[in-house]
């Protein structure tokens, strides 16, 4: 089983989620944090672009945005250019929550890479390269089915 990519990825994700919930514990999920972090860099972007940058599919982004909006961490408004799009902005409360979470993430990162702290950049580069390649493969397979 340890040589099946899906199995290893599932184990990594489950372990990461458990560590996140114990060490970050600010009330934000990983996807919620990702959305706030994207907005911190690109405030006022449309919801679809934020979701794409946060690696969330459209339906997940809608759900995450609703939850963040209910907590007053973001505000969504209709785009003045295209009424079908929603513009998303982080609130002062959202910025404060993001800052609190970031303080907790540093110890989490240290714990996650404690086995090889000098290789963190190399490991992350490889994971990112795999992510890009596997997304390309999925797109290629989708195109072949069409």
């Amino acid at each position: 089983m340890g040589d099946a990519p899906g199995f290893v990825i599932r184990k990594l994700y489950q372990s990461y989620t458990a560590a996140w919930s114990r060490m970050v514990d600010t009330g934000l999920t990983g996807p919620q944090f990702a959305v706030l972090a994207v907005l911190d860099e690109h405030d006022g972007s449309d919801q679809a672009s934020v979701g794409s940058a946060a690696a969330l599919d459209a339906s997940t982004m809608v759900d995450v945005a609703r939850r963040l909006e209910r907590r007053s961490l973001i505000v969504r408004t209709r785009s003045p250019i295209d009424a079908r799009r929603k513009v998303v902005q982080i609130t002062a409360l959202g910025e404060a929550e993001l800052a609190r979470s970031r303080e907790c993430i540093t110890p989490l990162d240290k714990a996650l890479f404690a086995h090889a702290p000098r290789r963190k950049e190399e490991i992350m580069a490889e994971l990112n390269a795999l992510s890009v390649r596997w997304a390309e493969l999925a797109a290629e397979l989708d195109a072949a089915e069409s």
Side-chain angles (χ1 to χ4, degrees):
M1 281 297 235
D3 61 348
F7 177 75
V8 174
I9 291 165
R10 189 173 305 106
K11 279 179 39 178
L12 279 169
Y13 183 71
Q14 288 171 337
S15 299
Y16 178 80
T17 302
W20 174 279
S21 70
R22 287 180 182 87
M23 294 182 74
V24 178
D25 193 30
T26 61
L28 289 179
T29 63
Q32 290 171 343
F33 173 83
V35 167
L36 292 179
V38 168
L39 289 173
D40 190 44
E41 296 288 322
H42 306 285
D43 199 27
S45 295
D46 68 273
Q47 187 168 295
S49 298
V50 173
S52 178
L56 301 175
D57 62 71
S59 63
T60 302
M61 178 58 197
V62 168
D63 182 55
V64 169
R66 283 185 184 140
R67 291 172 190 261
L68 291 171
E69 192 171 40
R70 275 189 230 123
R71 293 178 58 195
S72 300
L73 302 178
I74 66 168
V75 174
R76 294 183 299 162
T77 55
R78 292 254 177 243
S79 167
I81 299 166
D82 183 349
R84 295 170 296 174
R85 292 181 177 257
K86 290 194 176 180
V87 173
V88 187
Q89 294 177 294
I90 192 169
T91 64
L93 188 59
E95 289 173 347
E97 193 72 17
L98 179 62
R100 262 182 1 113
S101 294
R102 282 184 168 151
E103 289 174 7
C104 299
I105 288 172
T106 300
L108 173 61
D109 278 355
K110 286 183 183 175
L112 290 171
F113 292 97
H115 72 290
R118 285 182 240 118
R119 291 189 51 231
K120 177 186 176 190
E121 286 183 24
E122 174 189 349
I123 293 167
M124 289 305 303
E126 186 63 29
L127 288 172
N128 280 308
L130 280 171
S131 174
V132 168
R133 174 59 197 131
W134 291 6
E136 290 170 350
L137 175 61
E140 290 167 13
L141 294 171
D142 284 346
E145 282 185 5
S146 299

